[in-house]
């Protein structure tokens, strides 16, 4: 047992000596997005920055499409994923996750005044916009007869909803409520648990056990010293 623990520590020390590449899809405010100065920023970026300081590793953020993150991880192009990714049972078959750092729900949005749409069951045969590769896409595909339209970014989904391109859009509640605040033309009409364990940091299967344990401890420490709460307030998250 001591030998195994020593090997894990050695692997972790070796890892910290190198720069880790974390993939993200910077089109998901407030978790990751490109600001006015063309810099990738957001809650997740601040979170991994603080974790890196406490764990003692350097890192680089690599921006790519959300549905390309897991293939890039499996191909060794990145070392980890920090991109508001939910730990689902399907994803757990091929990758490992830290403990969740943020819990969320699916919210269903419609154009305000669309009184014909009041319940999830009424979406059969309707056009539903979702972000490609997300839990929300899975939820939409489970609706019998729905015409699911995936998009790489969330902003076009909201814009499409406003002009009638979609009957409804399913988003993660953490960003959905932000869109509602900025777009009074849309409103929520249904909400449900998303069936995941919550947003977590992902690594390739069985390759970063020691690092995951370290990050889990850091997440606990950040909640105890209230630095995690400060990040939530900074990005207007609950």
């Amino acid at each position: 047992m001591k030998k195994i623990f020593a090997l894990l520590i050695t692997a972790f020390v070796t890892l910290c000596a190198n720069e880790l590449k974390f993939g993200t899809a910077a089109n998901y405010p407030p978790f990751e997005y490109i600001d006015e100065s063309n810099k990738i920023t957001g809650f997740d970026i601040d979170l991994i920055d603080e974790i890196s300081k406490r764990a003692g590793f350097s890192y680089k953020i690599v921006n790519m499409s959300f549905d390309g993150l897991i293939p890039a991880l499996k191909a060794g192009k990145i070392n980890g994923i920090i991109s508001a990714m939910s730990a689902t049972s399907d994803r757990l078959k091929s990758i490992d996750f830290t403990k969740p750092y943020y819990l969320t729900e699916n919210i269903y949005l419609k154009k305000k005044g669309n009184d014909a749409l009041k319940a999830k069951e009424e979406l059969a045969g309707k056009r539903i916009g979702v972000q490609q590769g997300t839990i929300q896409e899975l939820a939409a595909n489970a609706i019998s007869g729905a015409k699911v339209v995936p998009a790489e970014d969330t902003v076009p989904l909201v814009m499409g909803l406003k002009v009638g391109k979609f009957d409804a859009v399913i988003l993660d509640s953490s960003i959905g409520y932000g869109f509602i605040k900025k777009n009074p033309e849309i409103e929520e009409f249904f909400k449900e648990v998303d069936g995941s364990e919550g947003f977590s940091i992902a690594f390739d299967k069985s390759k970063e056990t020691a690092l995951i344990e370290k990050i889990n401890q850091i997440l606990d420490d950040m909640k105890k010293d209230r630095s995690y709460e400060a990040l939530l307030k900074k990005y207007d998250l609950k």
Side-chain angles (χ1 to χ4, degrees):
M1 184 67 183
K2 289 183 178 179
K3 185 177 181 180
I4 294 174
F5 182 73
L7 288 173
L8 288 174
I9 294 299
T10 300
F12 177 60
V13 171
T14 302
L15 190 63
C16 291
N18 301 315
E19 181 182 70
L20 300 182
K21 294 180 180 179
F22 283 90
T24 196
N27 56 10
Y28 210 69
F31 286 91
E32 41 270 330
Y33 60 96
I34 298 175
D35 64 15
E36 295 82 1
S37 60
N38 205 36
K39 180 183 177 182
I40 300 174
T41 188
F43 178 90
D44 281 348
I45 310 306
D46 283 2
L47 180 63
I48 199 63
D49 186 66
E50 182 63 23
I51 288 173
S52 71
K53 291 174 182 176
R54 299 191 187 203
F57 63 80
S58 60
Y59 71 95
K60 178 181 179 181
I61 298 295
V62 181
N63 189 19
M64 61 183 69
S65 64
F66 188 84
D67 62 339
L69 289 169
I70 293 178
L73 180 65
K74 300 301 293 183
K77 296 179 181 179
I78 54 177
N79 303 104
I81 298 171
I82 179 77
S83 192
M85 181 171 281
S86 299
T88 65
S89 57
D90 187 55
R91 289 170 179 162
L92 283 166
K93 295 175 183 177
S94 61
I95 56 179
D96 290 333
F97 287 92
T98 63
K99 64 172 53 180
Y101 60 83
Y102 193 85
L103 301 178
T104 186
E105 299 172 297
N106 291 339
I107 59 171
Y108 291 62
L109 306 178
K110 66 176 183 178
K111 189 173 182 180
K112 192 171 289 186
N114 181 6
D115 296 332
L117 192 57
K118 297 179 180 179
K120 178 181 178 180
E121 293 72 23
E122 296 170 333
L123 287 171
K126 300 292 194 300
R127 290 176 62 83
I128 306 174
V130 293
Q131 186 177 24
Q132 188 172 346
T134 62
I135 283 180
Q136 290 74 43
E137 183 177 15
L138 295 177
N141 285 329
I143 298 172
S144 178
K147 300 174 183 178
V148 182
V149 184
E152 186 174 318
D153 203 343
T154 54
V155 174
L157 293 175
V158 174
M159 296 302 104
L161 182 62
K162 290 165 64 173
V163 300
K165 182 178 179 180
F166 308 116
D167 297 291
V169 166
I170 309 175
L171 293 176
D172 189 285
S173 61
S174 59
I175 68 163
Y177 288 123
F179 278 121
I180 290 174
K181 288 181 181 179
K182 295 178 181 179
N183 299 272
E185 308 97 321
I186 64 175
E187 63 182 353
E188 171 194 351
F189 70 94
F190 184 73
K191 181 170 63 176
E192 65 185 359
V193 295
D194 64 14
S196 77
E197 296 181 5
F199 293 168
S200 304
I201 304 169
F203 296 93
D204 201 359
K205 195 72 175 177
S206 303
K207 290 187 177 180
E208 307 296 354
T209 305
L211 181 55
I212 289 173
E213 290 180 0
K214 181 66 175 178
I215 290 175
N216 285 342
Q217 182 58 57
I218 290 172
L219 290 171
D220 288 342
D221 293 342
M222 289 182 66
K223 290 179 180 180
K224 289 177 183 177
D225 64 26
R226 303 179 73 84
S227 54
Y228 177 82
E229 182 181 348
L231 272 184
L232 291 177
K233 288 182 179 180
K234 177 179 178 180
Y235 290 98
D236 195 26
L237 293 166
K238 297 180 180 179

